[in-house]
Amino acid sequence: MPGSADRPAHAPHRPDHDLVVVANRLPVDSRTLPDGATEWVTSPGGLVTAMESVMKGVDSGAWVGWAGAPGDAPDPFEADGMSLYPVALDQEDIERYYEGFSNGTLWPLYHDVIVEPAFHRTWWDSYVSANRRFARAAAAVASRTSTIWVHDYQLQLVPRMIRDDRADVRIGFFNHIPFPPVELFSQLPKRNQILRGLLGADLIGFQRESDTQNFLAAVRKLLGHHVDGQTISVPGLGAAPMREVTAQTFPISIDSASVSALTEDPEVREHAAQLRRDLGNPRKVVVGVDRLDYTKGIRHRLKAWGELLNDGSIDPHDTVMIQVATPSRERVEAYRQLRDEVELTVGRINGDHASIGRAAVSYQHRSFDRRYMTALYMAADVVLVTALRDGMNLVAKEYVASRPDLQGVLVLSEFAGAADELRAAVMVNPHDIDELKAAILRSLAMPEEEQQESMRSLRHQVMENDVQSWAHDFLERLEQSDDPHGEAKPVVRLSGGEPTEPEVLEGALAEFAQTPRILIASDFDGVLAPIVNDRDAVEPDPAALDTLRELADMPGVAVALISGRSLEDLDSHTGMPSSVVLVGSHGAEVGALPPWMQAEVLDSAALSMTPEKDELLQSITATLHRIARAHPGVEVETKPSAAVLHTRNARGRGADNATDSALEYAVTLPEVTVTPGKEVVEFSVVHASKGDAIDALARASAADAWLYLGDDVTDESVFGHLGESDCGIKVGEGDTAANYRIAGTPEAAAVLARLKALRQDG
């Protein structure tokens, strides 16, 4: 967003904007020139970087935010094609709302309490007051057809405040930082007010699936609202009807094509070469780029680097580290203390190991523009992104986008949101200094061929999933929410029952087969085996099972079966080798894992029963048996963490009546996951879904994309997680969120066989 030496043009006050973005800061900062004119330049920060290109693509966009200086707000004005509406914050607001509750309470709490959060009631009062100011400003400029998109932790009350004033608009909220586990979130005073504020939105987006699940758990436990998958039933106020709110994962990205294009600029290329010359042409350059924040792990990183120098594992004459630490929140005591500690550590390392004319650590405490940063990434042999906790971390994606030469190594913290997508990076636990040291040494010694293989996978992910895709996915999903004017829009990509045209499916399979690392997963009943009345008499297609075994032996291919059956039952009917992962009970049970799969990633999907859950399951089972006895032919199946009502063999209207009774009973169990399927209703006391399982498997296998075959309602939780590169194939009829459809089990076997052939040919 280029600066202008002219005074800004005033923005129109008519509410005619298609998209209204509400964020703590405007995307520009003002500077007063010597002649008294005002210059507006792009603000620093990840949100502005991410949203800049998105807003340029909107026909009529408005941005509501603080202009960056205390006191009265400037008049609304136009900048770079956007209408900007400043919100006033006085010095007390800055101290209590922004530095206080936002960054002294919420920020540390949401980042795993790395620093102890502070709680002050006056901070909360200011937070409420400031949020109300932002909400009123947004409501005033939104038309009846507007979409309002609220951003980040500073404004969590705004969605509800807008909803109370403007029930006629669609409201989205995106949380850019982590959302903590319910055990941590429960420590927050006014926690329920925060949740109710967020639930004013129609769609709430998070960076990681774990954040989404943490939020859903908090809503379920603290507010007692019914949660079905990703959908929350929110009671209306007074005579208002019940609302449905969706919580979903939307990992943010960057304008990757723009960053990659900068690497072709001769000046940027020369700057990258000059950087290495200025450092004395070392053999290796290691780079860290962070805001100076305690969540970024800078102290841990410098400790590891200092120890590597001390024990002689790294020679400072041929390997240099650059640490860029962008100034941040310098009025907050914790940040001033961090700066002192970092600068003291850098000074000590350089005092011990630097030679004349060459620092062991080149420390840069300032901001750089995008061209400089691209040159720095091009000059870096290794980039360390070792945050202790991070919502996403766009530095990791910027580095990957800056390396079309397929050189360089990304060392990435498993606690950064980017770890869910950039699975080919060198993953590290930054809290473990020995592990961090080993990762650095491994990266410095990585052969070119291995670097290229890893970077090819990373670039596939970053270039295919850019910030425009992120915004499009979020806004498209928001459009599918219930129309505030009364017309419901169900989330369906395919309706009816016509199979996908063969040439379209062939093209999708061919593109998927060329992806470097893939996960192929499938349901069992109705996909690999026809559905039969006697579940024990099921006969899977032997050719399909053989194909899955062969696919599992191919390089870069992970294979899994995800079923509603218990793990033991699934294993007995498939006889799969250990190279194929078995997941039972809709994700609540996970079988043995191949040695190359990251087992710790699947911990969240493992069965976790407690005495209280055992007691609850016994009560549910007893109730379902009573329902079954009242309807001949209805049966009850018990699993380690669930009870299932089967109505396939019921007589007359017994199936419908038994299902109705089960669903009426489900309303009394807000803590239980109730999943209706084809002639079944499952009650699980462990929150798990096939969608959760596919996400965990994709992370554990470092897959760049996944393909899933499913036929049941329970498989829609998987199809609802589809990314741009993923393939969801619905088997049989029925509305679905899958992007392709085939007729039945023979066609499923054919898809697997064709995929195997395409992978072999590729």
Side-chain angles (χ1 to χ4, degrees), residues 209 213 605 687-697 699 717 721:
E209 186 61 25
Q213 294 306 321
H687 179 72
S689 72
K690 292 181 179 181
D692 298 337
I694 198 76
D695 281 347
L697 288 167
R699 293 195 301 273
S717 67
H721 287 219

Side-chain angles (χ1 to χ4, degrees), residues 209 230 246-250 473 477 480 491-493 690-692 694-695 706 708 713-723 726 728 736-739:
E209 186 61 25
Q230 299 173 319
T246 301
Q248 195 168 328
T249 307
F250 299 91
D473 290 347
R477 181 65 185 84
Q480 293 168 342
V491 184
V492 174
R493 294 188 185 178
K690 292 181 179 181
D692 298 337
I694 198 76
D695 281 347
W706 50 262
Y708 184 79
V713 175
T714 60
D715 298 307
E716 293 303 311
S717 67
V718 178
F719 298 141
H721 287 219
L722 283 165
D726 304 326
T736 181
N739 37 22

Side-chain angles (χ1 to χ4, degrees), residues 20 35 48 55 63 75 77 89 139 185 187 214 226 248 285 288 308 310 370 389-390 397 467 501 527 557 576 671 719:
V20 178
D35 63 359
V48 173
M55 292 298 287
W63 191 305
D75 291 333
F77 62 94
L89 294 178
F185 183 77
Q187 298 177 21
N214 287 343
H226 180 70
Q248 195 168 328
V285 175
L308 288 170
N310 287 336
R370 194 172 301 173
R389 193 78 165 90
D390 219 335
K397 296 188 175 184
V467 68
E501 293 292 332
V527 178
V557 180
M576 283 295 179
E671 296 287 339
F719 298 141

Side-chain angles (χ1 to χ4, degrees), residues 432-637:
D432 188 333
I433 301 299
D434 290 331
E435 184 178 322
L436 181 52
K437 290 164 62 178
I440 293 171
L441 293 177
R442 176 191 165 194
S443 301
L444 289 169
M446 186 177 291
E448 275 194 22
E449 183 178 343
E450 188 177 347
Q451 290 183 39
Q452 291 173 357
E453 180 185 354
S454 172
M455 192 60 73
R456 187 175 291 110
S457 173
L458 295 172
R459 282 184 61 82
H460 172 85
Q461 180 65 37
V462 171
M463 302 307 291
E464 291 292 322
N465 300 284
D466 61 8
V467 68
Q468 287 85 5
S469 298
W470 165 76
H472 176 269
D473 290 347
F474 185 95
L475 294 172
E476 181 182 55
R477 181 65 185 84
L478 182 55
E479 280 295 308
Q480 293 168 342
S481 63
D482 284 353
D483 191 322
H485 310 299
E487 180 185 354
K489 294 190 175 182
V491 184
V492 174
R493 294 188 185 178
L494 297 176
S495 59
E498 287 299 316
T500 303
E501 293 292 332
E503 60 272 16
V504 174
L505 183 58
E506 171 70 14
L509 293 177
E511 182 177 353
F512 177 77
Q514 294 172 4
T515 305
R517 302 184 185 188
I518 58 176
L519 166 65
I520 300 168
S522 175
D523 187 11
F524 179 68
D525 293 284
V527 178
L528 303 179
I531 292 177
V532 293
N533 289 336
D534 184 354
R535 286 169 50 83
D536 294 332
V538 66
E539 294 186 6
D541 185 328
L545 295 184
D546 286 342
T547 303
L548 287 173
R549 295 183 185 102
E550 293 170 17
L551 282 164
D553 291 333
M554 291 184 176
V557 180
V559 176
L561 294 181
I562 307 175
S563 174
R565 288 176 180 260
S566 69
L567 184 62
E568 181 181 6
D569 192 12
L570 182 62
D571 188 22
S572 69
H573 284 101
T574 59
M576 283 295 179
S578 59
S579 57
V580 176
V581 180
L582 300 183
V583 179
S585 300
H586 299 290
E589 297 181 281
V590 181
L593 301 177
W596 47 265
M597 186 169 276
Q598 302 170 51
E600 65 275 7
V601 178
L602 287 170
D603 284 347
S604 62
L607 183 63
S608 177
M609 291 293 287
T610 63
E612 292 77 15
K613 289 180 180 178
D614 277 326
E615 183 178 347
L616 177 59
L617 181 57
Q618 291 174 17
S619 173
I620 292 170
T621 303
T623 300
L624 295 186
H625 274 297
R626 285 197 294 273
I627 293 173
R629 285 195 295 271
H631 304 284
V634 175
E635 300 171 346
V636 177
E637 176 194 8

Side-chain angles (χ1 to χ4, degrees), residues 90 109 115 124 147 187 208 213 223 230 249 269 312 343 357 368 372 387 412 465 483 527-528 537 543 550 559 623 659:
D90 60 27
L109 184 72
V115 167
W124 167 254
T147 292
Q187 298 177 21
R208 310 185 77 169
Q213 294 306 321
L223 297 183
Q230 299 173 319
T249 307
R269 285 174 172 267
E343 292 179 353
F368 295 98
Y372 179 94
L412 182 57
N465 300 284
D483 191 322
V527 178
L528 303 179
E550 293 170 17
V559 176
T623 300
T659 299

